[in-house]
Amino acid sequence: MNAPAPTSSLTEEDQLFRLLRQLDLTPEASQRVIAGALGISLGRLNALLRGAAAAGLVSITERAGPDRRQRFTYAITTRGAGEKNRLTDRFLARKFAEFDALHAELTGSTSGLVPLNTRSHFMQNNLAPIPELYVSYDSAQKLKVEAGNLTSHDLTPRQICDLELLMNGGFNPLKGFLSEADYDSVVETMRLTDGTLWPMPITLDVTEKFADTIEIGQDIALRDQEGVILATMTVTDKWVPNKAREAEKVFGADDSAHPAVNYLHNTAGAVYLGGPITGIQQPIHYDFRGRRDTPNEMRSRFRKLGWRKVVAFQTRNPLHRAHQELTFRAARESQANLLIHPVVGMTKPGDVDHFTRVRCYEAVLDKYPQSTTTMSLLNLAMRMAGPREAVWHGLIRKNHGCTHFIVGRDHAGPGKNSAGEDFYGPYDAQDLFREHQEEMGIEMVDFKHMVYVQERAQYEAMDEIEDKDNITILNISGTELRRRLQEGLEIPDWFSFPEVVEELRKTKPPRSQQGFTVFFTGFSGSGKSTIANALMVKLMEMGGRPVTLLDGDIVRKNLSSELGFSKEHRDLNIRRIGYVASEITKNGGIAICAPIAPYATTRRAVREEIEQFGAFIEVHVATSLEECERRDRKGLYKLAREGKIKEFTGISDPYDVPQNPELSVDTEGQEVDNCAHQVILKLESMGLIAGA
């Protein structure tokens, strides 16, 4: 048996690293076994254990039993697991530097494995494993018990996506949620404070109430929405961000028409927490489990298949024939294999749900040569940040082992801003990616605009066609595709695959068969409930779909009886109405809502929730405040004027007038039946009900 290597020359830091690693691997071993594995004396081991315990890195408990050699049991604490991850990075960086120096001495050239200017170059080999933030299984079981006594934060869906990619290495080199200094640097310069390229702030946003309970240096447990502990975090930073500045720098404008800016101001918590995380277990996915791969699993698959060059295709939409031709060309031009890598986390509101999209991807996958193409799902929460997002996507795909990445026109663009103009230029994303691709270590493949040439019965790149005036060019836009699906019109075979169209038609039947929500909003006494009741009767008379009325007063009585009339409670009441309406819409029914709903941001949130499943028709009952106060059938305005009702909409609390409702009606001088008929005509024009 070989004698252990002498370690007297090791630094204190290296000895601590080896100790924590050994305890993580063999938590039940005796002191003698641990000392032997580390190559140190029992006396030195005891000194290391005492120091680690005093620093809160290791817990030591007595063990009952006759064997005096195993009197104690050891467990890495939450803090110890985080310290082990930090020391692992430092140890690896030093060893790579030593290897590179030796390589240079022997060969006269660098190995290519050492960080050059930034840590983005840390792992040049796209098939080598990358660091993860998980502890071993045995340590995870013990950490779960310890974490059960910690203050807990229940993660939002977006935070769960971020945490998963932090833990599995998808966000490498990040070791946790950004510190305040790193956040400021990323927002301003797209780099961490150490110079590493990283374009997107990855932050843990929490409420002020929760933040007030947290002290710097405190460990917290991070739980999913079912209460399962996924990780722990040592809070090193707590601050109130300048969200307007973040919006300007990261998304290009502080404009709430941008979905991520709207999320930033109206959904995200007011306080950010930063600090390293220790992964205990990955989030649980019950859907498409065989299609989900961590970066290291993806790299392992590439090694097994012998793929040395891999081009990744990012998508959040169904694939049609043009996409297949595009990806074929990209792989051929790069002389690479193809990874179809769709996002199934959080995309743009209104996108096709990921269940339908994955079924479409699987149908298209059969059209590719099996030996050249594979598919994996990415649980990413997109920000729709255009140029920055393209660089971010490139870094994530580099971590997954890809060498090339397809970047399209207006990559990850959110659409139009408040002025009706595109947020980003069509080639801004490609320009920024090209500027940084050498540093990232992943090469960009330009997205070609593919069109169908009828005479040649094939797809060609638009900018490569020289005889445009002599041929027939066919193309169907996304808007036109949605119209054809909604109206049950033909979708030609040259555009998409029959299997894809079949899946889309399952989810998107003709509009006259879909569920939808009519959402009335206006002042108290404006006539919302009266019109809603008349509309309900007319729709029930037509038949075909169940109709449910969610009137403000009825909901208050049956669904929100415990709520008051503060802004927080009014928002919660509207969100409850929106949730019920979304379920009705999803199941093919008609929901009619008639609350006051004074706040535009809340109405927008309800719209986004419902439009995942069907149409949302906002009807502004634009009766003037003076007319509503003149009617005052319930005497509420009189009480509000006397100060007996606080926070009354229109008197002591504001009403955000809808800017672009689908319909605006004024009940002054109009019969209720006529107002309801206007709504019916609007529904007919939108194809939601059959014309008379």
Side-chain angles (χ1 to χ4, degrees):
M1 181 176 178
N2 295 330
T7 58
S8 58
S9 61
L10 292 178
T11 65
E12 289 275 342
E13 186 176 86
D14 277 352
Q15 289 191 7
L16 177 59
F17 161 66
R18 290 171 183 258
L19 172 67
L20 294 176
R21 180 174 176 275
Q22 193 62 37
L23 293 179
D24 189 23
L25 293 172
T26 58
E28 301 296 330
S30 67
Q31 279 196 4
R32 189 172 300 279
V33 170
I34 295 171
L38 298 180
I40 59 178
S41 67
L42 284 172
R44 179 59 188 151
L45 174 62
N46 275 306
L48 281 174
L49 286 170
R50 285 195 299 270
L57 306 178
V58 174
S59 64
I60 304 175
T61 54
E62 288 199 36
R63 187 197 331 236
D67 191 344
R68 299 290 293 173
R69 294 170 299 180
Q70 291 186 279
R71 290 174 52 198
F72 302 100
T73 183
Y74 311 98
I76 296 181
T77 63
T78 300
R79 187 157 307 199
E83 181 69 1
K84 181 180 78 70
N85 287 334
R86 186 184 71 82
L87 293 175
T88 299
D89 277 354
R90 293 170 65 95
F91 181 83
L92 286 173
R94 190 163 59 255
K95 290 303 177 184
F96 274 120
E98 292 171 4
F99 171 76
D100 194 66
L102 179 61
H103 190 280
E105 181 182 338
L106 296 175
T107 67
S109 63
T110 62
S111 66
L113 291 176
V114 181
L116 301 178
N117 297 322
T118 76
R119 283 187 292 171
S120 296
H121 292 282
F122 190 74
M123 195 65 72
Q124 293 291 326
N125 184 352
N126 68 303
L127 302 183
I130 61 171
E132 296 183 349
L133 303 183
Y134 293 109
V135 295
S136 68
Y137 176 80
D138 287 340
S139 292
Q141 303 316 302
K142 294 182 177 180
L143 280 180
K144 279 184 185 178
V145 176
E146 180 188 340
N149 298 318
L150 298 177
T151 299
S152 293
H153 171 66
D154 292 334
L155 298 162
T156 65
R158 186 164 97 167
Q159 291 168 351
I160 292 174
C161 291
D162 287 350
L163 178 64
E164 179 172 356
L165 287 167
L166 282 169
M167 293 191 296
N168 69 22
F171 285 172
N172 183 57
L174 302 190
K175 301 305 175 190
F177 291 100
L178 295 184
S179 66
E180 183 176 7
D182 277 331
Y183 162 81
D184 288 336
S185 183
V186 167
V187 167
E188 295 293 333
T189 70
M190 296 204 322
R191 294 184 182 276
L192 303 174
T193 52
D194 66 1
T196 304
L197 180 68
W198 189 264
M200 196 63 57
I202 305 298
T203 52
L204 186 69
D205 58 277
V206 299
T207 64
E208 290 180 292
K209 182 178 179 181
F210 180 81
D212 288 342
T213 68
I214 302 301
E215 300 293 335
I216 299 299
Q218 182 176 343
D219 295 326
I220 61 174
L222 304 179
R223 298 176 182 263
D224 68 12
Q225 295 180 313
E226 300 296 324
V228 176
I229 298 175
L230 303 178
T232 60
M233 171 180 169
T234 300
V235 179
T236 59
D237 295 77
K238 179 173 72 170
W239 74 100
V240 176
N242 183 341
K243 291 187 176 182
R245 182 64 174 168
E246 181 179 341
E248 287 281 354
K249 299 295 289 186
V250 177
F251 304 109
D254 189 15
D255 183 345
S256 287
H258 193 299
V261 175
N262 179 60
Y263 182 96
L264 187 67
H265 288 305
N266 300 310
T267 302
V271 181
Y272 287 176
L273 303 181
I277 63 165
T278 300
I280 293 176
Q281 69 178 66
Q282 63 184 359
I284 300 169
H285 300 290
Y286 297 107
D287 58 319
F288 307 112
R289 299 180 76 165
R291 294 287 188 189
R292 296 178 183 269
D293 301 280
T294 68
N296 279 327
E297 288 170 343
M298 207 74 254
R299 287 169 173 247
S300 176
R301 188 190 303 182
F302 296 155
R303 286 196 301 272
K304 183 176 181 180
L305 293 172
W307 292 6
R308 294 295 177 264
K309 295 172 71 177
V310 182
V311 58
F313 179 57
Q314 145 90 26
T315 179
R316 62 175 224 275
N317 293 309
L319 298 184
H320 303 293
R321 291 187 186 272
H323 300 107
Q324 186 200 36
E325 183 62 32
L326 162 72
T327 52
F328 264 143
R329 289 172 60 109
R332 186 168 60 246
E333 290 173 8
S334 305
Q335 296 184 339
N337 294 100
L338 175 65
L339 170 65
I340 299 175
H341 209 202
V343 171
V344 295
M346 298 176 67
T347 59
K348 184 181 175 183
D351 282 351
V352 176
D353 69 274
H354 82 269
F355 299 101
T356 300
R357 288 191 287 114
V358 173
R359 292 195 297 271
C360 291
Y361 300 143
E362 290 180 329
V364 175
L365 199 61
D366 292 337
K367 312 298 180 183
Y368 290 90
Q370 191 171 6
S371 60
T372 66
T373 305
T374 189
M375 181 177 78
S376 181
L377 309 182
L378 180 65
N379 195 44
L380 174 71
M382 291 182 66
R383 271 57 165 185
M384 310 305 296
R388 282 199 183 213
E389 183 118 358
V391 174
W392 189 41
H393 288 175
L395 290 170
I396 293 168
R397 271 43 183 239
K398 172 67 186 303
N399 285 332
H400 281 78
C402 300
T403 57
H404 295 71
F405 182 56
I406 300 172
V407 180
R409 293 177 74 256
D410 193 25
H411 184 97
K416 305 292 185 182
N417 61 19
S418 296
E421 301 171 349
D422 291 335
F423 272 94
Y424 312 114
Y427 301 105
D428 289 354
Q430 292 182 357
D431 291 343
L432 189 65
F433 195 104
R434 189 178 293 109
E435 180 183 337
H436 294 287
Q437 67 179 358
E438 184 177 352
E439 179 181 354
M440 288 192 289
I442 185 169
E443 188 175 331
M444 181 179 74
V445 179
D446 290 352
F447 188 106
K448 301 290 193 294
H449 179 44
M450 307 300 296
V451 294
Y452 187 75
V453 179
Q454 188 175 39
E455 287 78 4
R456 294 193 278 269
Q458 65 183 20
Y459 274 92
E460 299 179 16
M462 184 68 175
D463 58 359
E464 296 175 4
I465 300 175
E466 296 181 354
D467 55 345
K468 294 184 179 68
D469 296 334
N470 302 319
I471 58 174
T472 305
I473 294 176
L474 302 177
N475 191 28
I476 293 179
S477 67
T479 301
E480 174 63 12
L481 174 62
R482 287 189 292 273
R483 186 185 75 84
R484 288 174 180 244
L485 285 170
Q486 289 166 356
E487 298 180 15
L489 301 177
E490 179 195 6
I491 297 173
D493 285 347
W494 62 260
F495 175 77
S496 193
F497 302 97
E499 300 92 333
V500 172
V501 175
E502 182 182 355
E503 288 295 341
L504 292 176
R505 290 204 190 279
K506 289 178 185 176
T507 306
K508 290 288 185 184
R511 272 202 137 183
S512 60
Q513 298 173 23
Q514 293 177 22
F516 63 87
T517 292
V518 180
F519 193 94
F520 291 94
T521 175
F523 290 119
S524 175
S526 60
K528 302 182 302 300
S529 297
T530 308
I531 301 172
N533 272 288
L535 176 65
M536 178 182 68
V537 171
K538 288 177 179 290
L539 291 172
M540 291 178 73
E541 182 182 9
M542 293 179 183
R545 280 169 286 190
V547 184
T548 302
L549 175 62
L550 299 172
D551 181 71
D553 291 339
I554 296 173
V555 169
R556 277 280 179 179
K557 178 180 179 182
N558 295 287
L559 192 62
S560 300
S561 59
E562 86 285 8
L563 298 182
F565 290 88
S566 65
K567 182 180 187 305
E568 180 183 4
H569 279 192
R570 278 188 281 183
D571 276 348
L572 180 56
N573 181 53
I574 301 304
R575 293 303 296 264
R576 288 179 180 177
I577 291 173
Y579 171 74
V580 175
S582 72
E583 290 296 306
I584 293 169
T585 301
K586 178 170 68 175
N587 289 286
I590 300 172
I592 302 174
C593 310
I596 295 173
Y599 307 121
T601 55
T602 312
R603 296 196 299 263
R604 173 172 173 169
V606 169
R607 175 187 289 272
E608 290 178 355
E609 184 171 14
I610 290 170
E611 284 186 337
Q612 297 178 66
F613 310 113
F616 179 91
I617 303 91
E618 184 177 47
V619 179
H620 178 212
V621 183
T623 309
S624 68
L625 181 65
E626 292 74 19
E627 174 64 15
C628 293
E629 194 166 357
R630 185 188 64 77
R631 296 173 182 175
D632 200 15
R633 289 186 301 167
K634 302 176 184 177
L636 299 177
Y637 283 95
K638 180 175 183 296
L639 294 173
R641 292 290 185 190
E642 294 171 353
K644 295 178 181 178
I645 298 179
K646 306 297 183 184
E647 298 179 304
F648 190 85
T649 300
I651 304 298
S652 54
D653 206 58
Y655 177 79
D656 298 334
V657 176
Q659 296 302 306
N660 297 293
E662 277 72 16
L663 180 66
S664 182
V665 297
D666 187 346
T667 61
E668 295 182 50
Q670 289 199 55
E671 296 290 334
V672 171
D673 188 72
N674 183 50
C675 293
H677 188 63
Q678 289 182 49
V679 181
I680 291 289
L681 292 175
K682 182 65 179 179
L683 296 177
E684 286 182 2
S685 70
M686 295 175 70
L688 292 165
I689 58 176

